[in-house]
Amino acid sequence: MAKEKQLSMLERWAIDEEMYPDNILGMEKAEGPWVSYYDNGNKKIEGQFENGREVGKWIYYNPDGSIKKVKNY
């Protein structure tokens, strides 16, 4: 089984900025359903937050709309 790549701090900050555009400093915890999109309008990531943490099934998509991976939290 391949080991998942660890993200650098800059990569993690870029993800956080995309996921929380109105909460850049991370002061508020995310809650409820969450979806991000590619510039072409296709879904990029889809999942659910509870108390600021990813929960349940998260789906990661390729730019063409196909599923890249599914991760359970």
Side-chain angles (χ1 to χ4, degrees), residues 4 45-49 53-60 67-73:
E4 282 193 37
I45 305 171
E46 180 177 30
Q48 179 84 15
F49 281 103
R53 295 186 174 264
E54 298 98 334
V55 295
K57 180 168 75 171
W58 279 68
I59 304 170
Y60 298 80
I67 294 176
K68 182 177 191 177
K69 71 177 179 176
V70 176
K71 190 168 183 180
N72 287 297
Y73 290 92

Side-chain angles (χ1 to χ4, degrees), residues 38 40 42-43 61-68:
Y38 286 104
N40 67 8
N42 288 340
K43 287 181 185 178
Y61 298 91
N62 293 307
D64 67 4
S66 63
I67 294 176
K68 182 177 191 177

Side-chain angles (χ1 to χ4, degrees), residues 2-69:
K3 185 177 178 184
E4 282 193 37
K5 176 187 174 233
Q6 284 285 355
L7 298 177
S8 72
M9 286 183 75
L10 289 176
E11 289 170 320
R12 186 63 209 169
W13 286 338
I15 291 169
D16 288 346
E17 185 176 345
E18 179 183 341
M19 292 175 76
Y20 315 107
D22 297 328
N23 186 25
I24 295 170
L25 298 177
M27 302 301 281
E28 299 173 23
K29 293 183 179 178
E31 193 71 36
W34 189 81
V35 179
S36 70
Y37 296 89
Y38 286 104
D39 289 338
N40 67 8
N42 288 340
K43 287 181 185 178
K44 187 173 188 179
I45 305 171
E46 180 177 30
Q48 179 84 15
F49 281 103
E50 284 184 14
N51 200 28
R53 295 186 174 264
E54 298 98 334
V55 295
K57 180 168 75 171
W58 279 68
I59 304 170
Y60 298 80
Y61 298 91
N62 293 307
D64 67 4
S66 63
I67 294 176
K68 182 177 191 177
K69 71 177 179 176

